[in-house]
Amino acid sequence: MTLSASTACTNRGEFGLISRIAAKVITTEGVITGIGDDAAVTELSAGMQLLTSTDMLLEDVHFRRAWHDPYRLGRKSLAVSISDIAAMGAIPRWALLSLAIPPGLPPDFIDDFIRGFLAVASEYRVTLIGGDTCSSRSGLTLSVTIMGEQFPDRIVRRTGAKPDDDIWVTGTLGDAALGLRMVEKGEGDEFIVGRLLDPTPRVSAALILAGAGLASAMIDISDGLLADFGHIAELSQVGGCIRCSDLPLSVSFRSHPAHITRIPYELALSGGEDYELCFTADSSNREKIIEAMKKCGIAVTRVGIVASSPGVTARNPDGSRFQVHTEGFTHLI
Amino acid sequence: MTLSASTACTNRGEFGLISRIAAKVITTEGVITGIGDDAAVTELSAGMQLLTSTDMLLEDVHFRRAWHDPYRLGRKSLAVSISDIAAMGAIPRWALLSLAIPPGLPPDFIDDFIRGFLAVASEYRVTLIGGDTCSSRSGLTLSVTIMGEQFPDRIVRRTGAKPDDDIWVTGTLGDAALGLRMVEKGEGDEFIVGRLLDPTPRVSAALILAGAGLASAMIDISDGLLADFGHIAELSQVGGCIRCSDLPLSVSFRSHPAHITRIPYELALSGGEDYELCFTADSSNREKIIEAMKKCGIAVTRVGIVASSPGVTARNPDGSRFQVHTEGFTHLI
C-alpha cells in the first residue's frame, strides 16, 4: 500500500535492509520459512496453542532517541513483547518487526537497533521471521508482533483469580518509573536507568509457575501494579487489597528519596514499565512458589489479597487507604 | 513502553477504544481467547502450519486522509494483509490491529475505519484477536498482522518456479496505478479508483490453485508485475519474459488513454497495488487452471514464460525489449 514511487530509493531500499537483517537472524525450532516470502511459515509444537500479541512504539510517545540508545531500544522493543507472552505462562517463539524510518536517521542507528533486538531474540530463543520496512515522514515508528506457544492447560489468563488468593509480584517495583524521572533530569543511576531502558521479561519465572499450575491469574506490570492488578480483578470479577508496606523496593530505589515526589508507594503502585509479573495464587501454594522462584533466582513477594467484592485498594501500614494520585498510564486517544 | 503519563486520558483512553472494538468483533473458528488478555490464544487446525505477515501503513506515506475515506481505509488495511496470506495459498484466520491516533482526528473516523476493517474480516472469516492503541504526535499510523493456516503440502512459496513454466496473473493489471493518478487529479472513475482504494484479495482463487497443486510459485502483485515476478525469479533462481501484448487490461483502463503517460504497458508492468496473484505453473496445467478459475469467476491470463537464465524482461509485440521506466515501488529508507 504505497502512495507513490516518489520515495523510491533502489540502492538502500526496503529489500536491501530486509536482506541485511535476514542475514543476521539465527533460526530456532518451528520455523519452516522465515524472512523472504509473502508470509512466514512456522509449526507449533504438538498439542500446543498459539499465543500472539502486538505493540506499536512511537518516537516521542513511547521513547526518545535522546534517552534510548539504539541498541537498548532494540533490546527493549522485543523484551516488552516477550513479557506479554511470559504473562500468559507461554514460551516465546517468533517475532515480526516493522520499522518506519525517518529521514536523517544516522546510518548506524538501525544496525545497532537490530543488534539489540536480535540479542534479546537470541537470549530467549525467539526467531525474527518477518516484518515490514518503510519510510516515515516524522519519527521512528516500530511495531513488534510476538508469538508463543503453550499447552492449553498451562496457559495462565487474567480471568482466574479467586477471592482469598494471594497477590504476588516478582522483582521490585517502581524502578522504571524512577528511572524515567532520572533520565528526564539527565541523571544516571545505572541500575535504575537500566530498569527503564533495558527491562528483563520474566520468562523463566512465568514458565515455572505455569508448568506447575501455581498461578490462578497472571499479567505483566507495564502500566503499574494497581492498574494491572485492576485488569485481573475486572476480568476475574473480584477485587483486592494491596499492602503498601509489603511492596518490594530495590536498594537503589530506596537510596533516591529526593526524586520521589510523595512517598515511595506512589511509584511502586502506579509507575509503569517494570515488566515484572503480578500473579494470584491459592494460599496453599505459598511455600511451593517461594521454593520455585528461589530455583530460578527471581525474588517474589506477597503484596496483597484478592477480595470477593469489586474494587482495588492500597492500604497504608496503619490500615488507612492509600490515595493514589494517578492510576497507571493510559495513552491518549 | 510509555514515555510519561502526560498523555493520559481516562475517559476515552486505550481501554475504552479496545472495549468498543472488541464488542463489534465476530469470532470465528480457532479462537480460544480474543481481545482482552496479554496475548490472544488460538488453535491451528489439525495438521496445518501457521502463516504470518505484517504491514505498517503510515499517513502521507501509504495513504492520504484526503483520498482514503476511513471506511475504505479500514477495508484496505486488512485486505492487503489478507492478500499476503492468499499469495501463500493459505486460509486467512486471525488479525491484530495497532492504531496510533493523531490529535484532532474526527471522532467518527476510527469508528468508520473499524467498520470497514471488520467488514472485510467478516467477508473472509477473519477474527480480530488483538492489537494496540496509542496516541500519535504526527499522522495516523496503522500496523496489521495477519495469520493464516494451511497444510504443509499446499503452501505455495516464491521458490518453486521452473524453467518453461507459464507465468499467469489473475484479474487485470495497472488499474490501481491509474487510480492513483486519477485521485491525485481529483478525478473519479468508480471502477478504477475502487481498484486503488478497495482492492480485493484473491483468496478463493489462491486456495483453489493451492488445493489442486496447480501453481509452482506464487506472489501477490503489490509492487508491480515486473518487480513481484522478479522476486519469484530471484528466489526460484530462474528468469522470465513477459509478453506485453498479453497483459490483461480492464475496459476502464483502456478508456483512459489521456492519463497514461507512455503506453499502457508501463502501468500494467510496474504499477503497484493491484493485489492480483502472479503465479507460475507447468504448461500441462493450462486447461485445469482455466477451468478452475472459471469456477470461481476469476479471470486468469498467461502473460509470459519462465526462463532458465536469470533476468526478467518484457517484450513488445515485435519482439523488441520493452524498456521500463521504473521497476516497482521501493520505499525510501
Side-chain angles (χ1 to χ4, degrees):
Chain A
M1 199 166 167
T2 313
L3 259 192
S4 75
S6 63
T7 51
C9 174
T10 48
N11 291 330
R12 285 193 64 245
E14 179 172 2
F15 307 118
L17 175 58
I18 291 170
S19 302
R20 274 196 353 258
I21 295 171
K24 294 174 187 163
V25 168
I26 297 160
T27 300
T28 56
E29 55 256 76
V31 180
I32 314 295
T33 303
I35 295 169
D37 216 311
D38 288 288
V41 185
T42 54
E43 193 164 50
L44 289 179
S45 300
M48 288 196 182
Q49 291 178 335
L50 174 68
L51 294 103
T52 319
S53 178
T54 193
D55 281 305
M56 193 187 271
L57 308 173
L58 283 81
E59 186 172 344
D60 294 332
V61 175
H62 299 90
F63 64 90
R64 286 203 182 134
R65 267 192 269 158
W67 301 344
H68 293 77
D69 61 279
Y71 178 78
R72 285 196 291 191
L73 182 62
R75 288 187 61 87
K76 184 170 177 176
S77 300
L78 181 56
V80 302
S81 286
I82 288 175
S83 181
D84 280 323
I85 297 298
M88 304 292 289
I91 308 157
R93 286 287 192 223
W94 313 302
L96 302 163
L97 168 66
S98 293
L99 292 163
I101 300 171
L105 197 73
D108 294 341
F109 190 98
I110 294 297
D111 286 337
D112 289 342
F113 175 91
I114 294 294
R115 202 163 47 82
F117 190 95
L118 293 180
V120 167
S122 170
E123 287 162 25
Y124 294 91
R125 299 184 59 76
V126 166
T127 305
L128 179 65
I129 57 170
D132 192 15
T133 63
C134 59
S135 61
S136 164
R137 296 204 172 181
S138 52
L140 179 65
T141 302
L142 313 166
S143 178
V144 179
T145 298
I146 184 84
M147 283 164 280
E149 60 178 2
Q150 185 53 285
F151 294 108
D153 60 354
R154 295 190 181 184
I155 294 170
V156 187
R157 293 177 172 78
R158 297 176 179 180
T159 48
K162 290 178 190 61
D164 301 325
D165 276 0
D166 293 318
I167 305 169
W168 296 81
V169 296
T170 59
T172 55
L173 299 181
D175 297 326
L178 178 58
L180 180 62
R181 295 182 183 212
M182 293 182 71
V183 296
E184 278 175 343
K185 293 177 180 170
E187 297 173 5
D189 175 315
E190 197 176 339
F191 172 81
I192 292 287
V193 173
R195 290 275 288 164
L196 173 72
L197 300 184
D198 194 7
T200 303
R202 297 300 187 192
V203 175
S204 58
L207 287 176
I208 288 170
L209 292 167
L214 292 170
S216 55
M218 191 152 62
I219 194 168
D220 66 331
I221 305 175
S222 55
D223 296 327
L225 174 61
L226 270 188
D228 287 316
F229 175 72
H231 297 316
I232 287 182
E234 187 187 344
L235 287 167
S236 298
Q237 296 182 288
V238 295
C241 179
I242 308 287
R243 297 180 297 268
C244 289
S245 55
D246 289 344
L247 292 169
L249 307 177
S250 69
V251 173
S252 286
F253 185 97
R254 291 177 191 273
S255 73
H256 287 281
H259 297 286
I260 301 159
T261 51
R262 295 178 67 221
I263 45 176
Y265 304 152
E266 181 83 34
L267 290 181
L269 286 168
S270 301
E273 302 227 74
D274 282 320
Y275 296 103
E276 296 294 345
L277 298 171
C278 169
F279 60 96
T280 57
D282 191 276
S283 60
S284 66
N285 290 338
R286 284 179 191 174
E287 285 188 22
K288 287 181 205 161
I289 289 168
I290 291 165
E291 196 58 36
M293 293 299 97
K294 202 179 283 176
K295 275 185 193 161
C296 66
I298 305 291
V300 70
T301 310
R302 274 191 296 125
V303 295
I305 195 138
V306 177
S308 55
S309 54
V312 177
T313 56
R315 296 277 164 196
N316 288 307
D318 66 4
S320 63
R321 183 167 173 167
F322 180 81
Q323 294 293 335
V324 180
H325 179 64
T326 169
E327 291 204 16
F329 296 93
T330 304
H331 300 190
L332 175 69
I333 51 172
Chain B
M1 198 167 168
T2 312
L3 259 191
S4 75
S6 62
T7 52
C9 175
T10 48
N11 292 330
R12 286 193 63 245
E14 178 172 3
F15 307 119
L17 175 58
I18 291 170
S19 302
R20 272 191 0 255
I21 296 173
K24 294 174 187 163
V25 168
I26 297 160
T27 299
T28 56
E29 56 257 76
V31 180
I32 314 295
T33 303
I35 293 171
D37 216 311
D38 288 289
V41 185
T42 55
E43 192 164 51
L44 289 179
S45 301
M48 288 196 182
Q49 291 178 335
L50 173 69
L51 294 103
T52 319
S53 177
T54 193
D55 280 305
M56 192 186 272
L57 308 173
L58 282 83
E59 185 171 346
D60 294 332
V61 175
H62 299 90
F63 63 90
R64 284 202 183 134
R65 266 192 270 158
W67 301 345
H68 294 78
D69 60 280
Y71 178 78
R72 286 196 292 190
L73 182 63
R75 289 187 61 87
K76 184 171 177 176
S77 299
L78 181 56
V80 302
S81 286
I82 288 175
S83 181
D84 280 324
I85 297 298
M88 303 292 288
I91 307 157
R93 285 288 192 221
W94 313 301
L96 303 164
L97 168 66
S98 293
L99 293 163
I101 300 170
L105 197 73
D108 294 340
F109 191 97
I110 293 297
D111 286 337
D112 290 341
F113 175 91
I114 294 295
R115 202 162 47 81
F117 190 95
L118 293 180
V120 166
S122 169
E123 287 162 25
Y124 294 91
R125 298 183 60 77
V126 166
T127 305
L128 179 64
I129 57 170
D132 191 16
T133 62
C134 58
S135 60
S136 164
R137 299 206 170 180
S138 53
L140 178 65
T141 302
L142 313 166
S143 179
V144 179
T145 298
I146 183 84
M147 283 164 279
E149 60 177 1
Q150 186 52 286
F151 295 108
D153 59 354
R154 293 189 181 186
I155 295 170
V156 187
R157 294 177 171 79
R158 297 177 177 178
T159 48
K162 290 177 190 62
D164 301 325
D165 276 359
D166 292 319
I167 304 169
W168 297 81
V169 296
T170 59
T172 54
L173 300 181
D175 297 326
L178 178 58
L180 180 63
R181 295 183 182 212
M182 292 181 71
V183 296
E184 279 175 343
K185 292 177 180 169
E187 298 173 6
D189 175 316
E190 197 176 336
F191 171 81
I192 292 289
V193 173
R195 290 276 287 164
L196 174 72
L197 299 184
D198 195 7
T200 303
R202 298 301 187 191
V203 174
S204 58
L207 287 176
I208 288 169
L209 293 167
L214 292 171
S216 54
M218 191 152 63
I219 193 167
D220 66 329
I221 305 175
S222 55
D223 295 327
L225 174 61
L226 270 188
D228 287 315
F229 175 72
H231 297 317
I232 287 182
E234 187 187 344
L235 287 166
S236 298
Q237 296 183 289
V238 295
C241 178
I242 309 287
R243 297 179 298 268
C244 290
S245 55
D246 289 344
L247 292 169
L249 305 177
S250 69
V251 173
S252 287
F253 185 97
R254 290 176 192 274
S255 73
H256 288 280
H259 297 287
I260 302 160
T261 50
R262 295 179 68 221
I263 44 175
Y265 304 153
E266 181 83 34
L267 291 182
L269 286 168
S270 302
E273 303 225 76
D274 283 318
Y275 297 102
E276 296 293 345
L277 298 170
C278 169
F279 60 96
T280 58
D282 192 276
S283 60
S284 66
N285 290 338
R286 284 179 191 174
E287 286 189 22
K288 287 181 206 162
I289 288 168
I290 290 166
E291 197 58 35
M293 293 298 98
K294 201 179 283 176
K295 275 185 192 161
C296 65
I298 305 291
V300 69
T301 310
R302 275 190 295 126
V303 295
I305 195 139
V306 178
S308 55
S309 54
V312 177
T313 56
R315 295 279 165 195
N316 288 306
D318 66 4
S320 63
R321 182 167 175 168
F322 180 80
Q323 293 293 336
V324 180
H325 178 65
T326 169
E327 292 204 16
F329 296 92
T330 304
H331 300 190
L332 176 69
I333 52 170

